[in-house]
Amino acid sequence: MRSSSSELLLDQQQELRKRKLLELAQPKKKPPKRTCRERIWFYTTSFLAMTAVGGGSSLLFLVPLYVDPAISTLAADFAPEPVKCVTTRREELCGILNCTWSSCREGCTSDMYSCTHIYVMYTTAPYYTDDGDGNWTSTSTSPSTSTTTTTTTTTPSPGENFTEDAVLLVNIKGCGYPPEVDCDNFTTMYGKVNAEFPCYYSRENRTVVLIHYDREEHVAIIIHYFAVPFIVTLATSVVLCVMYCDCRCGSERDRRRRRARRCAVEDARVALLDCEEDRT
């Protein structure tokens, strides 16, 4: 009995070896070529996925650098017309405790150990200057280009009633990155005592003053740097979900799952019966 059982085991092992050798000897089948529809599906999926990832990643950088300052500037409700500002004093401070804010700083992420505080007083009436020909002009200055734009008007300069000291900032955050923000030029132009220039005061917080304000510019920043990437990311994500998610009704899905389970159970029964027949 032992010899017969051992011979059967050896025969089975030899048969298995032969099958393995035959399988290895057979040439490998080439994978089927993709159809045109499968290629379009693949490239469409890749494009949509890359677009969604790129749009979401861009929001991570654009929101803190551009969108948040633009929203804060609009929320501060600055006066649309420039007013007359006069620098009252300038302070150069050192130490992290003294530098909780700065009128101008290049870079918004690092800690400040030295800072410049510029204080001004301003009038709430529009800023007018005499162009030399007897005409009064309203002037506004842009800090990024340091150029002056003049608009001719015939209204004379009103009486000057200055407010208390206010803080002069290069923008609502008091910081930025070159070439848009040049702190050396900013401090040289506006840090001199008794320097006179046009500025914009906040109607929400009258102690905050900017040297440049354009509502349309900030609205455009919010649209271009937040609304457009957000809509693109949302649209591509929805399309990917529609392409790959099962959006059919729950009853139909349950029926298909039950059918699949029944087929799996039947296949298992057939396999067991085949095994029993082989043993017999």
Side-chain angles (χ1 to χ4, degrees), residues 245-265:
C245 293
D246 191 359
C247 300
R248 292 186 295 271
C249 297
S251 59
E252 186 177 352
R253 282 185 291 178
D254 293 338
R255 290 174 185 172
R256 295 207 169 189
R257 288 176 182 174
R258 290 173 185 173
R259 291 176 185 173
R261 289 176 184 174
R262 289 175 184 173
C263 293
V265 172

Side-chain angles (χ1 to χ4, degrees), residues 33-71:
K33 293 183 178 180
R34 292 180 179 177
T35 61
C36 183
R37 182 179 179 181
E38 290 176 347
R39 290 180 181 178
I40 294 173
W41 191 270
F42 172 76
Y43 289 118
T44 303
T45 302
S46 301
F47 174 75
L48 292 175
M50 292 179 65
T51 303
V53 173
S57 301
S58 64
L59 287 174
L60 297 176
F61 295 96
L62 294 176
V63 168
L65 292 178
Y66 296 98
V67 179
D68 182 48
I71 294 174

